[in-house]
Amino acid sequence: MYQTYIFDLYGTLIDIETDEEHPEVWERLALHFSYHGLRTAGAELQSRFLAERDRQLQAAAQKCQFPDFVMEEVFRAVARDLGGNPGQAWLHETVRWLRTLSMNHIALYDGVPEILRTLRSRGKKVYLLSNGQKTFIEAELTMLNILHLFHGIAISSEAGVSKPDPLFYRYLADTYGADLSSAIMIGNDPRTDIAGAETIGIDSCYIHTASSPDNVPVKSTVQIWDGDIRKIPGWSLQK
């Protein structure tokens, strides 16, 4: 039926809950900055981060409709404004700190490893197309032991463009050789996953999960409203 399966990550394969807006996250991250001699308060650090992030996104928007940023580069600019000159290792560590401090829950949805392994065993090509930061996405895929189950992993921060921009799908095809003509996009967000697939002209499968947005019209080829990933097209028919 389909030879190429393109999966979204968060809310589709990974059940995750984070809260980057909580003041304590930034207060603790400010301590991390202070350990490096960069004195700042939590609220100030958050304000500086958001302002620099928005500035970098605005600059990137000159090249595409839906840009993304590299979090290390945002923290680099913030640290320099505070009088520092951090190395890449410290910047990676800082991104990981923000992620872990804001993390409330992370786990694979039921059946994910089985689905990915079986698709591969049937000769299907399995790809990941995820909005987010390369530094923590690869770490979380490793932690959950599914990194090796993809033929290609396209991450928006690395590509500089995010879903639903058709350029991100082209990036997946150009970088990893994904055959979009035989592809289906599987995701939980109508605004990014499903809209992106429609824009690039491929079929899509919407999976409704706890993190799916409310009151957003769904125009996918297939719809799964109980969150059961085992109901994706071509799965049960091939058992």
Side-chain angles (χ1 to χ4, degrees):
M1 189 174 182
Y2 298 105
Q3 299 304 314
T4 303
Y5 285 75
I6 305 172
F7 288 92
D8 169 55
L9 183 58
Y10 299 113
T12 301
L13 301 179
I14 293 179
D15 180 18
I16 190 168
E17 180 184 347
T18 61
D19 184 4
E20 291 185 4
E21 302 302 318
H22 198 290
E24 187 176 357
V25 170
W26 294 94
E27 291 166 6
R28 292 183 178 274
L29 194 64
L31 291 175
H32 169 69
F33 271 70
S34 296
Y35 285 171
H36 198 67
L38 306 174
R39 307 217 174 263
T40 182
E44 177 193 7
L45 179 58
Q46 183 181 21
S47 178
R48 286 178 178 272
F49 173 87
L50 293 175
E52 178 60 28
R53 180 203 64 185
D54 291 347
R55 188 195 68 78
Q56 293 194 16
L57 281 172
Q58 185 176 13
Q62 299 178 20
K63 299 179 181 179
C64 62
Q65 186 177 1
F66 296 94
D68 202 359
F69 67 98
V70 177
M71 196 173 286
E72 281 89 347
E73 294 309 310
V74 173
F75 278 127
R76 187 193 306 277
V78 171
R80 285 177 174 171
D81 286 344
L82 293 171
N85 187 27
Q88 198 65 26
W90 184 86
L91 292 168
H92 283 315
E93 181 184 8
T94 303
V95 172
R96 289 191 291 266
W97 265 111
L98 176 58
R99 185 63 163 181
T100 54
L101 288 170
S102 64
M103 183 83 68
N104 295 323
H105 168 78
I106 186 170
L108 289 174
Y109 283 110
D110 185 47
V112 166
E114 173 195 2
I115 291 287
L116 299 180
R117 291 193 186 99
T118 305
L119 286 173
R120 289 177 60 100
S121 72
R122 292 171 178 164
K124 310 300 183 181
K125 295 295 184 179
V126 180
Y127 299 95
L128 186 70
L129 190 71
S130 178
N131 291 351
Q133 295 295 311
K134 176 182 173 69
T135 298
F136 58 70
I137 286 178
E138 290 185 344
E140 288 160 10
L141 291 173
T142 300
M143 175 182 69
L144 296 169
N145 197 32
I146 59 171
L147 179 69
H148 63 290
L149 296 179
F150 298 98
H151 292 96
I153 297 172
I155 302 172
S156 61
S157 68
E158 187 173 35
V161 61
S162 62
K163 293 176 292 185
D165 202 310
L167 290 176
F168 196 19
Y169 289 81
R170 292 299 180 194
Y171 173 87
L172 177 69
D174 293 343
T175 305
Y176 298 103
D179 179 13
L180 299 182
S181 67
S182 67
I184 184 169
M185 176 74 210
I186 301 165
N188 76 307
D189 194 327
R191 304 164 303 184
T192 56
D193 306 316
I194 307 308
E198 183 180 19
T199 301
I200 201 68
I202 64 175
D203 286 357
S204 61
C205 175
Y206 171 74
I207 301 181
H208 186 79
T209 62
S211 59
S212 296
D214 295 325
N215 302 317
V216 178
V218 178
K219 300 179 181 179
S220 60
T221 312
V222 177
Q223 298 178 15
I224 301 171
W225 287 92
D226 62 1
D228 186 357
I229 194 173
R230 293 184 178 90
K231 293 181 179 179
I232 62 174
W235 173 255
S236 60
L237 293 177
Q238 296 179 52
K239 280 192 172 183

